Amino acid sequence: MEVVFYAHSVNVIGGAERVTLSIINGVKQTYQPVMLAPAGETLAHEAVSAGAIFEPIDCLQPEKLKPLKTLKQLFKYYQLFKKYQPKLVHTGDLLALRSLQPICKLLKIPMICHVHFPYEIPFMRWAFKNRYAPQSFIFCSNELKMYLQDELTLLCPSSQLEVIHNGVNIEKFKPITREPNPIPRIGIIANLQYRKGHDDFLAMAKILLDQGVKAQFDIIGGDILEEPRELLLKQKAIELGIAENVVFHGQVANVLEHLQQLDIVVCASHEEAFPISILEAMACGKAIVSTNVNGIPEAIIDGETGILVASHSPHSLATAIIKVLQSPKQQKLFILNGRRRVIDLFSSSIFKSKINNLYQNL
């Protein structure tokens, strides 16, 4: 069985890592997946559970001013590549890709760069200029490809540019029958980065509570990248006088279990390529209110599968929530249309088929 390396520069579970785990689940019958990431428990455990072998790496960046350190890492990589003899390296972020470029160039191993969010142009130039180019870029949305393709075409003219939307296991993420919540539960599922819009979510909650809406507001996600955001957000909830109505769940092991308890799922992001959390919520039969940014309109059709609003606008989010709560008929329509759209376009079987086809072509 041919080996594929998957590489990340962090040992946490965010959106990009969840996509990689989904890929591993989809290809493990055909390829032997090996996960490369810094030492740690979180991603390592999930990768092994998904069927991969885990190998810890430091993921240091090659530097001309530190030749000894760079050569030591190159030798460590050489031993790792000699052990497994991978046919392909699939990276989930640019830091992991840049760390592995020298060894892949030396051994002539094709690379895939999976792009999950819009990179800054200087960062891209640092990663790709005059370096070993990936054989293929995978973009999770058409909007993301359009945004980056001009610069990437200049930096990596020989690379293929492919759009493969994220996929969801529709057998695992599906509607369930449960007792209705005493009051609506409105939740946001995202790690606690500023760009995810948690401040707007809390401001939205304040507006709704002031207008007499009785609800619980769930924040599902933890400080995996930008500590100490959770402490700041908890303090903001106290300052707004809504702390009793907001539940911080932190980084959870079972997102699905928490998702199933929600009535409405909110995406308040200021910048978001194509969040898998939205697809999972749609597959589970949840009404969605989201900001209209980047690739999100490729998943949500405004007025048919959810409501799209302007970003940085808690009032717009609150107005949309009230619209959903006051129209059970509209909410049911969003639920039915949303799940159908995921089944037709964004199921894990479609996603896995496209990934396997790409692997075979490379």
Side-chain angles (χ1 to χ4, degrees), residues 137-172:
F137 288 91
I138 300 176
F139 302 91
C140 61
S141 72
N142 288 296
E143 190 275 342
L144 186 57
K145 177 186 175 184
M146 292 294 293
Y147 178 75
L148 296 177
Q149 68 177 359
D150 288 347
E151 187 65 29
L152 285 178
T153 299
L154 291 173
L155 292 169
C156 308
S158 64
S159 300
Q160 302 175 31
L161 306 181
E162 306 281 346
V163 175
I164 301 180
H165 289 103
N166 297 333
V168 171
N169 184 337
I170 57 176
E171 300 302 322
K172 178 181 179 181

PDB file of all heavy atoms in Angstrom, residues 137-172:
ATOM      1  N   PHE A 137      -2.367  22.848  -5.821  1.00  0.00           N
ATOM      2  CA  PHE A 137      -3.023  23.555  -4.726  1.00  0.00           C
ATOM      3  C   PHE A 137      -4.479  23.116  -4.687  1.00  0.00           C
ATOM      4  O   PHE A 137      -5.139  23.042  -5.734  1.00  0.00           O
ATOM      5  CB  PHE A 137      -2.971  25.070  -4.928  1.00  0.00           C
ATOM      6  CG  PHE A 137      -1.616  25.682  -4.735  1.00  0.00           C
ATOM      7  CD1 PHE A 137      -0.742  25.823  -5.806  1.00  0.00           C
ATOM      8  CD2 PHE A 137      -1.205  26.114  -3.492  1.00  0.00           C
ATOM      9  CE1 PHE A 137       0.509  26.381  -5.640  1.00  0.00           C
ATOM     10  CE2 PHE A 137       0.044  26.686  -3.305  1.00  0.00           C
ATOM     11  CZ  PHE A 137       0.915  26.817  -4.388  1.00  0.00           C
ATOM     12  N   ILE A 138      -4.978  22.823  -3.511  1.00  0.00           N
ATOM     13  CA  ILE A 138      -6.400  22.555  -3.323  1.00  0.00           C
ATOM     14  C   ILE A 138      -6.999  23.725  -2.569  1.00  0.00           C
ATOM     15  O   ILE A 138      -6.539  24.073  -1.470  1.00  0.00           O
ATOM     16  CB  ILE A 138      -6.651  21.267  -2.517  1.00  0.00           C
ATOM     17  CG1 ILE A 138      -6.060  20.054  -3.231  1.00  0.00           C
ATOM     18  CG2 ILE A 138      -8.153  21.066  -2.287  1.00  0.00           C
ATOM     19  CD1 ILE A 138      -6.187  18.763  -2.433  1.00  0.00           C
ATOM     20  N   PHE A 139      -8.017  24.345  -3.132  1.00  0.00           N
ATOM     21  CA  PHE A 139      -8.726  25.449  -2.481  1.00  0.00           C
ATOM     22  C   PHE A 139     -10.086  24.933  -2.020  1.00  0.00           C
ATOM     23  O   PHE A 139     -10.764  24.203  -2.749  1.00  0.00           O
ATOM     24  CB  PHE A 139      -8.921  26.617  -3.441  1.00  0.00           C
ATOM     25  CG  PHE A 139      -7.632  27.155  -4.014  1.00  0.00           C
ATOM     26  CD1 PHE A 139      -7.128  26.662  -5.210  1.00  0.00           C
ATOM     27  CD2 PHE A 139      -6.925  28.138  -3.357  1.00  0.00           C
ATOM     28  CE1 PHE A 139      -5.944  27.130  -5.740  1.00  0.00           C
ATOM     29  CE2 PHE A 139      -5.729  28.619  -3.875  1.00  0.00           C
ATOM     30  CZ  PHE A 139      -5.240  28.113  -5.076  1.00  0.00           C
ATOM     31  N   CYS A 140     -10.508  25.357  -0.836  1.00  0.00           N
ATOM     32  CA  CYS A 140     -11.789  24.876  -0.315  1.00  0.00           C
ATOM     33  C   CYS A 140     -12.976  25.681  -0.824  1.00  0.00           C
ATOM     34  O   CYS A 140     -14.120  25.352  -0.521  1.00  0.00           O
ATOM     35  CB  CYS A 140     -11.772  24.857   1.210  1.00  0.00           C
ATOM     36  SG  CYS A 140     -11.521  26.469   1.968  1.00  0.00           S
ATOM     37  N   SER A 141     -12.722  26.723  -1.624  1.00  0.00           N
ATOM     38  CA  SER A 141     -13.827  27.477  -2.229  1.00  0.00           C
ATOM     39  C   SER A 141     -13.357  28.126  -3.519  1.00  0.00           C
ATOM     40  O   SER A 141     -12.154  28.373  -3.714  1.00  0.00           O
ATOM     41  CB  SER A 141     -14.356  28.557  -1.269  1.00  0.00           C
ATOM     42  OG  SER A 141     -13.424  29.627  -1.141  1.00  0.00           O
ATOM     43  N   ASN A 142     -14.296  28.407  -4.401  1.00  0.00           N
ATOM     44  CA  ASN A 142     -13.980  29.118  -5.639  1.00  0.00           C
ATOM     45  C   ASN A 142     -13.503  30.532  -5.351  1.00  0.00           C
ATOM     46  O   ASN A 142     -12.608  31.045  -6.020  1.00  0.00           O
ATOM     47  CB  ASN A 142     -15.223  29.153  -6.545  1.00  0.00           C
ATOM     48  CG  ASN A 142     -15.526  27.798  -7.155  1.00  0.00           C
ATOM     49  OD1 ASN A 142     -14.754  27.259  -7.940  1.00  0.00           O
ATOM     50  ND2 ASN A 142     -16.662  27.229  -6.784  1.00  0.00           N
ATOM     51  N   GLU A 143     -14.111  31.167  -4.354  1.00  0.00           N
ATOM     52  CA  GLU A 143     -13.734  32.536  -4.002  1.00  0.00           C
ATOM     53  C   GLU A 143     -12.280  32.598  -3.567  1.00  0.00           C
ATOM     54  O   GLU A 143     -11.548  33.521  -3.929  1.00  0.00           O
ATOM     55  CB  GLU A 143     -14.651  33.057  -2.890  1.00  0.00           C
ATOM     56  CG  GLU A 143     -14.508  34.545  -2.597  1.00  0.00           C
ATOM     57  CD  GLU A 143     -13.379  34.876  -1.614  1.00  0.00           C
ATOM     58  OE1 GLU A 143     -12.937  33.948  -0.892  1.00  0.00           O
ATOM     59  OE2 GLU A 143     -12.941  36.037  -1.580  1.00  0.00           O
ATOM     60  N   LEU A 144     -11.838  31.604  -2.813  1.00  0.00           N
ATOM     61  CA  LEU A 144     -10.467  31.572  -2.330  1.00  0.00           C
ATOM     62  C   LEU A 144      -9.488  31.385  -3.493  1.00  0.00           C
ATOM     63  O   LEU A 144      -8.431  32.023  -3.547  1.00  0.00           O
ATOM     64  CB  LEU A 144     -10.308  30.449  -1.312  1.00  0.00           C
ATOM     65  CG  LEU A 144      -8.980  30.342  -0.574  1.00  0.00           C
ATOM     66  CD1 LEU A 144      -8.651  31.635   0.149  1.00  0.00           C
ATOM     67  CD2 LEU A 144      -9.003  29.169   0.407  1.00  0.00           C
ATOM     68  N   LYS A 145      -9.847  30.532  -4.429  1.00  0.00           N
ATOM     69  CA  LYS A 145      -8.999  30.347  -5.607  1.00  0.00           C
ATOM     70  C   LYS A 145      -8.885  31.641  -6.404  1.00  0.00           C
ATOM     71  O   LYS A 145      -7.784  32.043  -6.809  1.00  0.00           O
ATOM     72  CB  LYS A 145      -9.559  29.234  -6.495  1.00  0.00           C
ATOM     73  CG  LYS A 145      -8.764  29.039  -7.786  1.00  0.00           C
ATOM     74  CD  LYS A 145      -9.436  28.030  -8.703  1.00  0.00           C
ATOM     75  CE  LYS A 145      -8.699  27.944 -10.036  1.00  0.00           C
ATOM     76  NZ  LYS A 145      -9.378  27.031 -10.990  1.00  0.00           N
ATOM     77  N   MET A 146     -10.011  32.314  -6.625  1.00  0.00           N
ATOM     78  CA  MET A 146      -9.998  33.561  -7.398  1.00  0.00           C
ATOM     79  C   MET A 146      -9.145  34.617  -6.709  1.00  0.00           C
ATOM     80  O   MET A 146      -8.438  35.392  -7.365  1.00  0.00           O
ATOM     81  CB  MET A 146     -11.426  34.067  -7.576  1.00  0.00           C
ATOM     82  CG  MET A 146     -12.294  33.189  -8.462  1.00  0.00           C
ATOM     83  SD  MET A 146     -11.722  33.160 -10.184  1.00  0.00           S
ATOM     84  CE  MET A 146     -12.062  34.855 -10.655  1.00  0.00           C
ATOM     85  N   TYR A 147      -9.194  34.630  -5.382  1.00  0.00           N
ATOM     86  CA  TYR A 147      -8.468  35.635  -4.610  1.00  0.00           C
ATOM     87  C   TYR A 147      -6.954  35.442  -4.701  1.00  0.00           C
ATOM     88  O   TYR A 147      -6.197  36.414  -4.756  1.00  0.00           O
ATOM     89  CB  TYR A 147      -8.913  35.580  -3.147  1.00  0.00           C
ATOM     90  CG  TYR A 147      -8.202  36.550  -2.228  1.00  0.00           C
ATOM     91  CD1 TYR A 147      -8.511  37.907  -2.247  1.00  0.00           C
ATOM     92  CD2 TYR A 147      -7.219  36.105  -1.341  1.00  0.00           C
ATOM     93  CE1 TYR A 147      -7.847  38.809  -1.407  1.00  0.00           C
ATOM     94  CE2 TYR A 147      -6.559  36.990  -0.503  1.00  0.00           C
ATOM     95  CZ  TYR A 147      -6.880  38.337  -0.545  1.00  0.00           C
ATOM     96  OH  TYR A 147      -6.224  39.215   0.280  1.00  0.00           O
ATOM     97  N   LEU A 148      -6.497  34.190  -4.746  1.00  0.00           N
ATOM     98  CA  LEU A 148      -5.066  33.896  -4.661  1.00  0.00           C
ATOM     99  C   LEU A 148      -4.427  33.487  -5.981  1.00  0.00           C
ATOM    100  O   LEU A 148      -3.196  33.457  -6.082  1.00  0.00           O
ATOM    101  CB  LEU A 148      -4.831  32.775  -3.639  1.00  0.00           C
ATOM    102  CG  LEU A 148      -5.199  33.074  -2.177  1.00  0.00           C
ATOM    103  CD1 LEU A 148      -4.967  31.836  -1.322  1.00  0.00           C
ATOM    104  CD2 LEU A 148      -4.405  34.248  -1.632  1.00  0.00           C
ATOM    105  N   GLN A 149      -5.227  33.181  -7.001  1.00  0.00           N
ATOM    106  CA  GLN A 149      -4.650  32.518  -8.168  1.00  0.00           C
ATOM    107  C   GLN A 149      -3.660  33.379  -8.949  1.00  0.00           C
ATOM    108  O   GLN A 149      -2.671  32.860  -9.488  1.00  0.00           O
ATOM    109  CB  GLN A 149      -5.747  32.010  -9.100  1.00  0.00           C
ATOM    110  CG  GLN A 149      -6.560  33.058  -9.792  1.00  0.00           C
ATOM    111  CD  GLN A 149      -7.585  32.434 -10.749  1.00  0.00           C
ATOM    112  OE1 GLN A 149      -7.659  31.220 -10.900  1.00  0.00           O
ATOM    113  NE2 GLN A 149      -8.369  33.281 -11.381  1.00  0.00           N
ATOM    114  N   ASP A 150      -3.869  34.679  -9.030  1.00  0.00           N
ATOM    115  CA  ASP A 150      -2.948  35.517  -9.805  1.00  0.00           C
ATOM    116  C   ASP A 150      -1.542  35.479  -9.211  1.00  0.00           C
ATOM    117  O   ASP A 150      -0.550  35.306  -9.936  1.00  0.00           O
ATOM    118  CB  ASP A 150      -3.459  36.961  -9.863  1.00  0.00           C
ATOM    119  CG  ASP A 150      -4.674  37.113 -10.763  1.00  0.00           C
ATOM    120  OD1 ASP A 150      -4.959  36.170 -11.526  1.00  0.00           O
ATOM    121  OD2 ASP A 150      -5.336  38.163 -10.701  1.00  0.00           O
ATOM    122  N   GLU A 151      -1.456  35.652  -7.905  1.00  0.00           N
ATOM    123  CA  GLU A 151      -0.149  35.636  -7.256  1.00  0.00           C
ATOM    124  C   GLU A 151       0.475  34.246  -7.296  1.00  0.00           C
ATOM    125  O   GLU A 151       1.676  34.095  -7.550  1.00  0.00           O
ATOM    126  CB  GLU A 151      -0.281  36.103  -5.804  1.00  0.00           C
ATOM    127  CG  GLU A 151       1.045  36.279  -5.072  1.00  0.00           C
ATOM    128  CD  GLU A 151       1.901  37.397  -5.652  1.00  0.00           C
ATOM    129  OE1 GLU A 151       1.323  38.358  -6.212  1.00  0.00           O
ATOM    130  OE2 GLU A 151       3.146  37.313  -5.530  1.00  0.00           O
ATOM    131  N   LEU A 152      -0.330  33.218  -7.080  1.00  0.00           N
ATOM    132  CA  LEU A 152       0.204  31.861  -7.090  1.00  0.00           C
ATOM    133  C   LEU A 152       0.654  31.445  -8.491  1.00  0.00           C
ATOM    134  O   LEU A 152       1.616  30.691  -8.643  1.00  0.00           O
ATOM    135  CB  LEU A 152      -0.847  30.875  -6.567  1.00  0.00           C
ATOM    136  CG  LEU A 152      -1.072  30.893  -5.055  1.00  0.00           C
ATOM    137  CD1 LEU A 152      -2.167  29.925  -4.669  1.00  0.00           C
ATOM    138  CD2 LEU A 152       0.215  30.556  -4.305  1.00  0.00           C
ATOM    139  N   THR A 153      -0.022  31.940  -9.512  1.00  0.00           N
ATOM    140  CA  THR A 153       0.378  31.634 -10.882  1.00  0.00           C
ATOM    141  C   THR A 153       1.755  32.222 -11.182  1.00  0.00           C
ATOM    142  O   THR A 153       2.558  31.632 -11.909  1.00  0.00           O
ATOM    143  CB  THR A 153      -0.655  32.165 -11.880  1.00  0.00           C
ATOM    144  OG1 THR A 153      -1.921  31.531 -11.617  1.00  0.00           O
ATOM    145  CG2 THR A 153      -0.251  31.862 -13.312  1.00  0.00           C
ATOM    146  N   LEU A 154       2.038  33.389 -10.601  1.00  0.00           N
ATOM    147  CA  LEU A 154       3.363  33.989 -10.773  1.00  0.00           C
ATOM    148  C   LEU A 154       4.427  33.239  -9.983  1.00  0.00           C
ATOM    149  O   LEU A 154       5.538  33.018 -10.462  1.00  0.00           O
ATOM    150  CB  LEU A 154       3.329  35.459 -10.326  1.00  0.00           C
ATOM    151  CG  LEU A 154       2.522  36.427 -11.194  1.00  0.00           C
ATOM    152  CD1 LEU A 154       2.463  37.795 -10.522  1.00  0.00           C
ATOM    153  CD2 LEU A 154       3.130  36.550 -12.582  1.00  0.00           C
ATOM    154  N   LEU A 155       4.074  32.835  -8.760  1.00  0.00           N
ATOM    155  CA  LEU A 155       5.045  32.181  -7.893  1.00  0.00           C
ATOM    156  C   LEU A 155       5.264  30.715  -8.268  1.00  0.00           C
ATOM    157  O   LEU A 155       6.381  30.208  -8.178  1.00  0.00           O
ATOM    158  CB  LEU A 155       4.581  32.267  -6.441  1.00  0.00           C
ATOM    159  CG  LEU A 155       4.570  33.654  -5.804  1.00  0.00           C
ATOM    160  CD1 LEU A 155       3.835  33.617  -4.464  1.00  0.00           C
ATOM    161  CD2 LEU A 155       5.998  34.165  -5.595  1.00  0.00           C
ATOM    162  N   CYS A 156       4.191  30.043  -8.680  1.00  0.00           N
ATOM    163  CA  CYS A 156       4.238  28.600  -8.959  1.00  0.00           C
ATOM    164  C   CYS A 156       3.533  28.315 -10.287  1.00  0.00           C
ATOM    165  O   CYS A 156       2.442  27.726 -10.302  1.00  0.00           O
ATOM    166  CB  CYS A 156       3.585  27.812  -7.835  1.00  0.00           C
ATOM    167  SG  CYS A 156       4.191  28.180  -6.184  1.00  0.00           S
ATOM    168  N   PRO A 157       4.104  28.746 -11.413  1.00  0.00           N
ATOM    169  CA  PRO A 157       3.407  28.640 -12.701  1.00  0.00           C
ATOM    170  C   PRO A 157       3.095  27.212 -13.138  1.00  0.00           C
ATOM    171  O   PRO A 157       2.176  26.998 -13.936  1.00  0.00           O
ATOM    172  CB  PRO A 157       4.375  29.315 -13.679  1.00  0.00           C
ATOM    173  CG  PRO A 157       5.704  29.289 -13.008  1.00  0.00           C
ATOM    174  CD  PRO A 157       5.428  29.384 -11.554  1.00  0.00           C
ATOM    175  N   SER A 158       3.821  26.238 -12.636  1.00  0.00           N
ATOM    176  CA  SER A 158       3.588  24.852 -13.057  1.00  0.00           C
ATOM    177  C   SER A 158       2.542  24.127 -12.206  1.00  0.00           C
ATOM    178  O   SER A 158       2.135  23.012 -12.533  1.00  0.00           O
ATOM    179  CB  SER A 158       4.904  24.064 -13.011  1.00  0.00           C
ATOM    180  OG  SER A 158       5.391  23.989 -11.675  1.00  0.00           O
ATOM    181  N   SER A 159       2.088  24.760 -11.129  1.00  0.00           N
ATOM    182  CA  SER A 159       1.173  24.083 -10.204  1.00  0.00           C
ATOM    183  C   SER A 159      -0.258  24.054 -10.731  1.00  0.00           C
ATOM    184  O   SER A 159      -0.740  25.021 -11.337  1.00  0.00           O
ATOM    185  CB  SER A 159       1.183  24.775  -8.841  1.00  0.00           C
ATOM    186  OG  SER A 159       2.464  24.762  -8.266  1.00  0.00           O
ATOM    187  N   GLN A 160      -0.942  22.943 -10.470  1.00  0.00           N
ATOM    188  CA  GLN A 160      -2.364  22.856 -10.749  1.00  0.00           C
ATOM    189  C   GLN A 160      -3.130  23.608  -9.652  1.00  0.00           C
ATOM    190  O   GLN A 160      -2.714  23.593  -8.492  1.00  0.00           O
ATOM    191  CB  GLN A 160      -2.836  21.412 -10.761  1.00  0.00           C
ATOM    192  CG  GLN A 160      -2.142  20.503 -11.751  1.00  0.00           C
ATOM    193  CD  GLN A 160      -2.590  19.058 -11.602  1.00  0.00           C
ATOM    194  OE1 GLN A 160      -3.718  18.782 -11.239  1.00  0.00           O
ATOM    195  NE2 GLN A 160      -1.677  18.134 -11.856  1.00  0.00           N
ATOM    196  N   LEU A 161      -4.237  24.219 -10.028  1.00  0.00           N
ATOM    197  CA  LEU A 161      -5.094  24.912  -9.063  1.00  0.00           C
ATOM    198  C   LEU A 161      -6.463  24.236  -9.079  1.00  0.00           C
ATOM    199  O   LEU A 161      -7.203  24.343 -10.057  1.00  0.00           O
ATOM    200  CB  LEU A 161      -5.218  26.397  -9.412  1.00  0.00           C
ATOM    201  CG  LEU A 161      -3.911  27.187  -9.569  1.00  0.00           C
ATOM    202  CD1 LEU A 161      -4.210  28.646  -9.880  1.00  0.00           C
ATOM    203  CD2 LEU A 161      -3.035  27.077  -8.321  1.00  0.00           C
ATOM    204  N   GLU A 162      -6.799  23.537  -8.007  1.00  0.00           N
ATOM    205  CA  GLU A 162      -8.023  22.756  -7.932  1.00  0.00           C
ATOM    206  C   GLU A 162      -8.932  23.283  -6.829  1.00  0.00           C
ATOM    207  O   GLU A 162      -8.450  23.659  -5.753  1.00  0.00           O
ATOM    208  CB  GLU A 162      -7.712  21.284  -7.643  1.00  0.00           C
ATOM    209  CG  GLU A 162      -6.733  20.628  -8.599  1.00  0.00           C
ATOM    210  CD  GLU A 162      -7.373  20.232  -9.908  1.00  0.00           C
ATOM    211  OE1 GLU A 162      -8.622  20.225  -9.986  1.00  0.00           O
ATOM    212  OE2 GLU A 162      -6.621  19.912 -10.854  1.00  0.00           O
ATOM    213  N   VAL A 163     -10.244  23.290  -7.083  1.00  0.00           N
ATOM    214  CA  VAL A 163     -11.223  23.609  -6.043  1.00  0.00           C
ATOM    215  C   VAL A 163     -11.911  22.316  -5.625  1.00  0.00           C
ATOM    216  O   VAL A 163     -12.514  21.626  -6.454  1.00  0.00           O
ATOM    217  CB  VAL A 163     -12.277  24.621  -6.527  1.00  0.00           C
ATOM    218  CG1 VAL A 163     -13.354  24.827  -5.455  1.00  0.00           C
ATOM    219  CG2 VAL A 163     -11.619  25.949  -6.870  1.00  0.00           C
ATOM    220  N   ILE A 164     -11.779  21.975  -4.353  1.00  0.00           N
ATOM    221  CA  ILE A 164     -12.500  20.835  -3.783  1.00  0.00           C
ATOM    222  C   ILE A 164     -13.146  21.320  -2.487  1.00  0.00           C
ATOM    223  O   ILE A 164     -12.457  21.547  -1.485  1.00  0.00           O
ATOM    224  CB  ILE A 164     -11.564  19.642  -3.503  1.00  0.00           C
ATOM    225  CG1 ILE A 164     -10.862  19.186  -4.798  1.00  0.00           C
ATOM    226  CG2 ILE A 164     -12.349  18.491  -2.884  1.00  0.00           C
ATOM    227  CD1 ILE A 164      -9.917  18.007  -4.598  1.00  0.00           C
ATOM    228  N   HIS A 165     -14.443  21.511  -2.529  1.00  0.00           N
ATOM    229  CA  HIS A 165     -15.149  21.968  -1.329  1.00  0.00           C
ATOM    230  C   HIS A 165     -15.048  20.923  -0.222  1.00  0.00           C
ATOM    231  O   HIS A 165     -15.001  19.720  -0.480  1.00  0.00           O
ATOM    232  CB  HIS A 165     -16.626  22.234  -1.640  1.00  0.00           C
ATOM    233  CG  HIS A 165     -16.852  23.438  -2.495  1.00  0.00           C
ATOM    234  ND1 HIS A 165     -17.146  23.375  -3.829  1.00  0.00           N
ATOM    235  CD2 HIS A 165     -16.819  24.766  -2.199  1.00  0.00           C
ATOM    236  CE1 HIS A 165     -17.301  24.595  -4.327  1.00  0.00           C
ATOM    237  NE2 HIS A 165     -17.095  25.456  -3.350  1.00  0.00           N
ATOM    238  N   ASN A 166     -15.022  21.391   1.019  1.00  0.00           N
ATOM    239  CA  ASN A 166     -15.008  20.482   2.158  1.00  0.00           C
ATOM    240  C   ASN A 166     -16.244  19.591   2.126  1.00  0.00           C
ATOM    241  O   ASN A 166     -17.293  19.960   1.599  1.00  0.00           O
ATOM    242  CB  ASN A 166     -14.969  21.267   3.469  1.00  0.00           C
ATOM    243  CG  ASN A 166     -13.703  22.090   3.605  1.00  0.00           C
ATOM    244  OD1 ASN A 166     -12.668  21.741   3.035  1.00  0.00           O
ATOM    245  ND2 ASN A 166     -13.762  23.181   4.355  1.00  0.00           N
ATOM    246  N   GLY A 167     -16.109  18.417   2.723  1.00  0.00           N
ATOM    247  CA  GLY A 167     -17.219  17.465   2.741  1.00  0.00           C
ATOM    248  C   GLY A 167     -17.566  17.024   4.147  1.00  0.00           C
ATOM    249  O   GLY A 167     -16.761  17.136   5.076  1.00  0.00           O
ATOM    250  N   VAL A 168     -18.777  16.508   4.304  1.00  0.00           N
ATOM    251  CA  VAL A 168     -19.285  16.089   5.616  1.00  0.00           C
ATOM    252  C   VAL A 168     -19.835  14.665   5.515  1.00  0.00           C
ATOM    253  O   VAL A 168     -20.495  14.319   4.529  1.00  0.00           O
ATOM    254  CB  VAL A 168     -20.398  17.045   6.094  1.00  0.00           C
ATOM    255  CG1 VAL A 168     -21.081  16.508   7.341  1.00  0.00           C
ATOM    256  CG2 VAL A 168     -19.838  18.424   6.386  1.00  0.00           C
ATOM    257  N   ASN A 169     -19.585  13.887   6.546  1.00  0.00           N
ATOM    258  CA  ASN A 169     -20.162  12.549   6.645  1.00  0.00           C
ATOM    259  C   ASN A 169     -21.647  12.673   6.987  1.00  0.00           C
ATOM    260  O   ASN A 169     -22.016  12.933   8.129  1.00  0.00           O
ATOM    261  CB  ASN A 169     -19.425  11.746   7.722  1.00  0.00           C
ATOM    262  CG  ASN A 169     -19.899  10.309   7.813  1.00  0.00           C
ATOM    263  OD1 ASN A 169     -21.014   9.969   7.410  1.00  0.00           O
ATOM    264  ND2 ASN A 169     -19.061   9.443   8.350  1.00  0.00           N
ATOM    265  N   ILE A 170     -22.495  12.489   5.988  1.00  0.00           N
ATOM    266  CA  ILE A 170     -23.935  12.729   6.185  1.00  0.00           C
ATOM    267  C   ILE A 170     -24.612  11.616   6.978  1.00  0.00           C
ATOM    268  O   ILE A 170     -25.766  11.777   7.406  1.00  0.00           O
ATOM    269  CB  ILE A 170     -24.650  12.919   4.830  1.00  0.00           C
ATOM    270  CG1 ILE A 170     -24.435  11.707   3.926  1.00  0.00           C
ATOM    271  CG2 ILE A 170     -24.180  14.212   4.160  1.00  0.00           C
ATOM    272  CD1 ILE A 170     -25.197  11.777   2.612  1.00  0.00           C
ATOM    273  N   GLU A 171     -23.909  10.488   7.170  1.00  0.00           N
ATOM    274  CA  GLU A 171     -24.453   9.433   8.020  1.00  0.00           C
ATOM    275  C   GLU A 171     -24.165   9.721   9.488  1.00  0.00           C
ATOM    276  O   GLU A 171     -24.946   9.356  10.367  1.00  0.00           O
ATOM    277  CB  GLU A 171     -23.864   8.072   7.621  1.00  0.00           C
ATOM    278  CG  GLU A 171     -24.159   7.661   6.189  1.00  0.00           C
ATOM    279  CD  GLU A 171     -25.656   7.593   5.912  1.00  0.00           C
ATOM    280  OE1 GLU A 171     -26.410   7.146   6.803  1.00  0.00           O
ATOM    281  OE2 GLU A 171     -26.068   7.997   4.812  1.00  0.00           O
ATOM    282  N   LYS A 172     -23.044  10.349   9.740  1.00  0.00           N
ATOM    283  CA  LYS A 172     -22.681  10.721  11.109  1.00  0.00           C
ATOM    284  C   LYS A 172     -23.365  12.027  11.504  1.00  0.00           C
ATOM    285  O   LYS A 172     -23.942  12.131  12.599  1.00  0.00           O
ATOM    286  CB  LYS A 172     -21.160  10.861  11.225  1.00  0.00           C
ATOM    287  CG  LYS A 172     -20.671  11.301  12.592  1.00  0.00           C
ATOM    288  CD  LYS A 172     -19.146  11.434  12.613  1.00  0.00           C
ATOM    289  CE  LYS A 172     -18.645  11.906  13.970  1.00  0.00           C
ATOM    290  NZ  LYS A 172     -17.166  12.074  13.992  1.00  0.00           N
TER     291      LYS A 172
END
